[in-house]
């Protein structure tokens, strides 16, 4: 029995497909099929020392929450994109040499890293951190993405991120509970209350 056969969409660059062969005794073996598609006119960009190729096929991209499908002209090519009119963001897909595709913000021929967090009805875009008194620079993982954050100390389960709400267009701090994996808009009163409780118990 051979699993994994069929018709698949491919994009420029390396495309990897898994073919699983099942023997009569039930044992399985996976073969990786690499298909190299050559784009005669690739649009290549370099971001933080990593080379990417602009994705030209819409079917290779997944529309993020809060965006509508659109196109943008890059190097005289109509490139599939996603647009949010509240925050005026245009996103395009970039593919690295391993075949991984991620969305990046495109603005005046510049590409910026884009990380969106969807939690219930809340959709946030991570922004550059702003310093906050009493907090230290830290790192945490959100949806398997390593991001910069702030914390009272490295052992604290609550981290702060600075983000843009794509539905309201407002920027603010949000607290992220690394244990419960939950978000809420940050309020200084919560921290002050916690600090007063600690002082009381001491």
């Amino acid at each position: 029995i051979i699993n994994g056969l069929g018709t698949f969409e491919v994009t420029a660059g390396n495309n990897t497909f898994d073919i699983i062969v099942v023997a009569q005794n039930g044992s399985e073996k996976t073969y990786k099929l690499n298909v190299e598609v050559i784009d005669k006119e690739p649009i290549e960009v370099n971001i933080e020392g990593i080379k990417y190729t602009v994705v030209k096929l819409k079917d290779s991209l997944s529309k993020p929450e809060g965006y509508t499908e659109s196109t943008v002209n890059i190097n005289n090519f109509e490139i599939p994109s996603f647009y949010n009119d509240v925050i005026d963001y245009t996103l395009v897909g970039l593919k690295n040499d391993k075949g991984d595709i991620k969305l990046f913000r495109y603005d005046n021929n510049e590409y910026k890293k884009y990380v969106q967090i969807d939690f219930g009805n809340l959709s946030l875009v991570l922004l550059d951190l702003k310093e906050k008194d009493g907090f230290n620079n830290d790192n945490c993982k959100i949806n398997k993405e390593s991001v910069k954050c702030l914390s009272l100390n490295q052992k604290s389960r609550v981290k702060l991120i600075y983000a843009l709400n794509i539905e309201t267009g407002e920027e603010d701090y949000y607290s992220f509970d690394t244990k419960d994996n939950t978000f809420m808009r940050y309020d200084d009163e919560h921290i002050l209350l916690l600090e007063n409780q600690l002082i009381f118990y001491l």
Side-chain angles (χ1 to χ4, degrees):
I1 299 174
I2 302 177
N3 298 320
L5 299 179
T7 304
F8 302 93
E9 292 284 347
V10 293
T11 60
N14 185 56
N15 299 263
T16 303
F17 304 99
D18 289 338
I19 307 296
I20 302 173
V21 178
V22 183
Q24 289 184 347
N25 63 6
S27 62
E28 295 183 0
K29 187 167 185 179
T30 301
Y31 295 87
K32 287 193 176 294
L33 177 65
N34 292 305
V35 179
E36 185 74 20
V37 179
I38 298 176
D39 183 351
K40 294 183 179 180
E41 296 182 81
I43 303 173
E44 297 180 341
V45 296
N46 193 296
I47 303 172
E48 297 179 354
I50 301 175
K51 187 173 75 172
Y52 295 89
T53 303
V54 176
V55 176
K56 297 178 180 177
L57 297 177
K58 180 181 72 173
D59 293 341
S60 303
L61 305 174
S62 297
K63 184 175 72 70
E65 192 71 30
Y67 283 79
T68 57
E69 293 183 359
S70 185
T71 59
V72 63
N73 189 289
I74 302 177
N75 292 9
N76 295 320
F77 286 96
E78 284 296 312
I79 302 300
S81 65
F82 303 107
Y83 181 69
N84 181 296
D85 59 352
V86 176
I87 58 177
D88 193 25
Y89 270 30
T90 295
L91 307 180
V92 298
L94 298 185
K95 186 175 184 178
N96 63 21
D97 57 3
K98 295 179 181 178
D100 300 322
I101 296 175
K102 287 189 176 183
L103 293 175
F104 283 74
R105 183 186 175 193
Y106 178 76
D107 185 26
N108 293 325
N109 292 320
E110 291 187 359
Y111 301 85
K112 298 179 181 178
K113 187 176 180 180
Y114 181 84
V115 179
Q116 179 172 323
I117 301 166
D118 297 316
F119 182 78
N121 296 325
L122 186 65
S123 293
L124 303 173
V125 177
L126 292 186
L127 300 176
D128 292 336
L129 275 180
K130 293 188 176 182
E131 293 184 357
K132 194 167 184 61
D133 290 341
F135 286 84
N136 303 307
N137 290 328
D138 201 350
N139 290 284
C140 61
K141 280 199 173 183
I142 303 176
N143 295 344
K144 298 181 180 179
E145 185 90 24
S146 181
V147 301
K148 293 179 180 179
C149 60
L150 299 173
S151 64
L152 291 172
N153 57 69
Q154 290 187 340
K155 293 183 179 179
S156 175
R157 61 184 273 182
V158 177
K159 312 292 183 180
L160 288 190
I161 60 169
Y162 194 71
L164 172 66
N165 187 317
I166 68 173
E167 294 194 9
T168 65
E170 297 177 348
E171 299 179 10
D172 208 339
Y173 290 98
Y174 288 82
S175 60
F176 170 57
D177 190 316
T178 57
K179 187 174 181 180
D180 294 339
N181 198 36
T182 55
F183 287 89
M184 67 179 300
R185 194 165 184 167
Y186 174 74
D187 187 347
D188 281 320
E189 290 183 6
H190 293 157
I191 295 297
L192 291 174
L193 179 61
L194 178 60
E195 289 177 346
N196 289 335
Q197 288 176 343
L198 289 175
I199 291 172
F200 176 78
Y201 285 117
L202 290 175

